[in-house]
């Protein structure tokens, strides 16, 4: 990973989206020692304040580096065949119950070595980076044995050493019931609680613990056991909840102080209130909604009314969202869920960082790490409006220009 740049750099006359709002005037931004050191309307900028600074860019739109707060980027194989089956009318749940779906990726991932998983995952990571990502969360969940889950997490950590990007890892041992535990789900949950979570915590391989709370996943009671174990090991909590039905998984997660509840198409008002009270972020995953051709919309209006922070993520995974283009997610969040472009962009920057417990990221403000994107567009809303690769002019990580065109 490149070290922090100690030089002083200036971006001049840029339109700034600061992670929450678009600033009114063209701005000049000073970066020093890897952090944002100053931010002025260009008309008020005084050269003396940035003595010795080199001009790194001029014009365009400057945003925080994008934060993709929910991905399953590490896996082997693909599920193009299931995509065709679903187009012929077989449902995601039917495929899962027949031993396909997540379990098909589990078979391929268990058979792959760490190096093979790196080779399979790097092109997907590179696609995210080319679209402006500077922080990515990566889940396990296709191993489902202690060794294979740790293998996935190790691969995720190694990806963060191979590329200039922050990787946050999440243990998703409770993603599906592996075939060797058929009929013994509670025993598998014990394995997650008593062995996987302690091992991942001891090796520093997981920042958080996630569950799939669903009829084809795990029950709220089983998820609660997992949350207790996660808490006992000091790990943050997340949930895949209310994706295909309403089991109250989001409210349960909120009760345990979860950072986020993700998917939430079937969330009801009581669930929204629970998220609001706990300060849990609602992570919207329009890619999965789109690919599964879902019709149940997440309760956006209620989330707004209760002031629940909304993040947007790619959910990049081989089944429900084989899409590694975060700016497309901004577009889908607007077209499918009717977010405003501002909400969508905030959802991929400041709110996404919040969903990872990283309040220092996803903002352009003095003191924040200088993870930035400079885009060849006129105004921030264009990132959600047009779907177009190649608009990224620079990607800045820790104050260093790590990609420039
Ligand atoms: O976020 N819902 C469960 N997990 C993933 C899908 C995983 C898969 O199908 O491989 C999701 O949609
Ligand atoms: Fe997911």
């Amino acid at each position: 990973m490149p070290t922090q740049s100690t030089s002083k750099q200036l971006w001049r006359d840029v339109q700034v989206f600061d992670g929450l709002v678009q600033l009114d005037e063209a701005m000049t931004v000073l970066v020093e020692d890897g952090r944002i050191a100053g931010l002025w309307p260009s008309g008020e900028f005084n050269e003396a304040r940035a003595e010795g600074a080199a001009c790194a860019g001029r014009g365009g739109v400057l945003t925080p580096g994008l934060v993709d707060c929910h991905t399953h980027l590490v896996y082997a194989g693909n599920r193009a065949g299931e995509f065709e089956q679903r187009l012929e009318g077989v449902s995601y749940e039917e495929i899962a119950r027949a031993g396909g779906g997540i379990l098909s990726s589990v078979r391929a991932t268990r058979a792959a070595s760490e190096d093979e998983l790196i080779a399979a995952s790097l092109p997907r990571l590179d696609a995210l980076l080319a679209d402006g990502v500077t922080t990515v969360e990566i889940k396990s969940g296709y191993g489902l044995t202690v060794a294979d889950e740790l293998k996935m997490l190790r691969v995720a950590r190694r990806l963060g050493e191979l590329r200039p990007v922050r990787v946050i890892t999440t243990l998703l041992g409770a993603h599906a019931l592996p075939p060797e535990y058929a009929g013994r789900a509670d025993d598998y949950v014990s394995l997650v609680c008593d062995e996987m979570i302690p091992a991942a915590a001891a090796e520093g391989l997981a920042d958080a613990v996630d569950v799939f709370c669903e009829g084809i996943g795990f029950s709220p009671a089983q998820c609660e056991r997992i949350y207790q174990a996660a808490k006992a090991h000091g790990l943050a909590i997340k949930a895949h909840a209310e994706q295909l039905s309403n089991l109250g998984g989001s409210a349960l997660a909120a009760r345990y102080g979860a950072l986020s509840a993700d998917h939430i198409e079937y969330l009801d008002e009581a669930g929204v209130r629970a998220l609001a009270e706990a300060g849990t972020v609602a992570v919207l995953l329009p890619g999965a909604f789109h690919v599964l051709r879902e019709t149940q919309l997440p309760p956006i209006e209620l989330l707004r009314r209760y002031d629940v922070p909304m993040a947007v993520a790619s959910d990049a995974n081989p089944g429900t969202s084989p899409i590694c283009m975060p700016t497309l997610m901004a577009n889908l969040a607007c077209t499918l869920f009717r977010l405003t472009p501002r909400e969508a962009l905030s959802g991929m920057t400041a709110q996404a960082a919040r969903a990872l417990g990283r309040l220092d990221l996803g903002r352009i403000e003095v003191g924040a790490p200088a993870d930035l994107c400079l885009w060849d567009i006129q105004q921030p809303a264009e990132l959600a409006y047009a779907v177009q690769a190649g608009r990224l002019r620079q990607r800045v990580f820790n104050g260093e220009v790590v990609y420039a065109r």
Side-chain angles (χ1 to χ4, degrees):
M1 194 183 294
T3 48
Q4 275 187 187
S5 162
T6 49
S7 58
K8 278 179 159 185
Q9 291 182 295
L10 277 180
W11 277 265
R12 311 188 78 134
D13 305 328
V14 287
Q15 297 295 323
V16 170
F17 177 81
D18 74 357
L20 295 173
V21 294
Q22 172 177 359
L23 306 184
D24 289 335
E25 304 164 76
M27 304 293 288
T28 291
V29 179
L30 173 68
V31 169
E32 192 174 7
D33 294 335
R35 292 187 177 268
I36 296 166
L39 182 65
W40 305 273
S42 286
E44 292 167 26
F45 176 63
N46 171 350
E47 297 286 340
R49 290 154 106 172
E51 211 198 302
C55 181
R58 189 186 285 272
V61 167
L62 193 72
T63 68
L66 302 186
V67 177
D68 196 347
C69 69
H70 179 142
T71 85
H72 309 248
L73 212 64
V74 172
Y75 59 83
N78 74 76
R79 310 228 299 267
E82 289 178 11
F83 178 61
E84 291 190 46
Q85 277 181 279
R86 285 203 308 275
L87 293 175
E88 284 159 13
V90 189
S91 76
Y92 181 67
E93 282 152 302
E94 284 164 343
I95 291 170
R97 292 192 195 282
I102 293 171
L103 291 182
S104 127
S105 296
V106 168
R107 287 187 286 275
T109 303
R110 283 181 176 178
S113 68
E114 273 187 38
D115 287 344
E116 286 164 344
L117 285 174
I118 293 272
S121 307
L122 261 183
R124 295 190 281 266
L125 178 61
D126 285 338
L128 296 183
L129 303 193
D131 205 37
V133 167
T134 52
T135 297
V136 60
E137 185 256 20
I138 302 178
K139 301 176 195 296
S140 65
Y142 297 119
L144 312 186
T145 65
V146 177
D148 289 306
E149 287 292 297
L150 297 185
K151 173 178 78 177
M152 288 188 70
L153 293 172
R154 240 179 267 120
V155 166
R157 288 273 196 244
R158 270 179 65 194
L159 288 172
E161 289 158 12
L162 291 169
R163 292 291 186 268
V165 63
R166 295 173 208 282
V167 171
I168 311 279
T169 58
T170 300
L171 173 69
L172 178 55
H175 197 194
L177 187 64
E180 62 275 17
Y181 277 87
R184 295 188 295 133
D186 287 327
D187 291 346
Y188 180 68
V189 171
S190 297
L191 177 76
V192 174
C193 294
D194 301 342
E195 296 187 40
M196 270 181 208
I197 290 175
E203 294 189 38
L205 284 173
D207 301 308
V209 171
D210 197 346
V211 300
F212 185 22
C213 187
E214 192 60 66
I216 55 169
F218 294 86
S219 71
Q222 290 164 340
C223 294
E224 184 158 14
R225 288 177 58 202
I226 288 164
Y227 288 159
Q228 284 164 351
K231 278 220 127 135
H233 286 86
L235 298 176
I237 282 166
K238 301 174 88 66
H240 283 71
E242 275 72 70
Q243 179 186 14
L244 307 168
S245 63
N246 184 349
L247 299 184
S250 300
L252 169 71
R255 262 208 312 288
Y256 277 83
L259 289 174
S260 71
D262 304 35
H263 286 291
I264 62 163
E265 279 85 344
Y266 285 81
L267 191 66
D268 58 15
E269 185 160 359
V272 172
R273 202 179 305 121
L275 297 186
E277 280 164 8
T280 298
V281 177
V283 177
L284 305 171
L285 303 172
F289 179 93
H290 162 68
V291 170
L292 293 183
R293 304 174 69 242
E294 293 286 348
T295 53
Q296 172 79 28
L297 286 161
I300 302 301
E301 209 36 69
L302 281 172
L303 292 166
R304 285 190 185 119
R305 199 178 317 145
Y306 282 87
D307 226 359
V308 175
M310 291 185 281
V312 175
S314 72
D315 196 15
N317 78 70
T320 65
S321 190
I323 305 177
C324 297
M325 190 177 189
T327 55
L328 171 60
M329 296 301 146
N331 176 270
L332 294 177
C334 296
T335 53
L336 299 176
F337 296 167
R338 302 239 187 129
L339 260 61
T340 65
R342 189 198 66 75
E343 285 172 325
L345 293 183
S346 193
M348 297 173 53
T349 52
Q351 309 300 10
R354 174 183 291 263
L356 297 176
R358 291 293 305 259
L359 299 178
D360 57 326
L361 300 177
R363 296 294 316 277
I364 296 181
E365 60 182 2
V366 173
D371 290 0
L372 303 165
C373 288
L374 185 64
W375 306 89
D376 280 321
I377 54 178
Q378 315 280 309
Q379 52 192 31
E382 286 175 60
L383 287 178
Y385 149 76
V387 179
Q388 186 178 334
R391 294 175 293 177
L392 185 65
R393 196 197 309 170
Q394 289 176 345
R395 196 174 69 93
V396 181
F397 180 67
N398 259 338
E400 192 172 317
V401 179
V402 290
Y403 167 82
R405 173 168 60 72

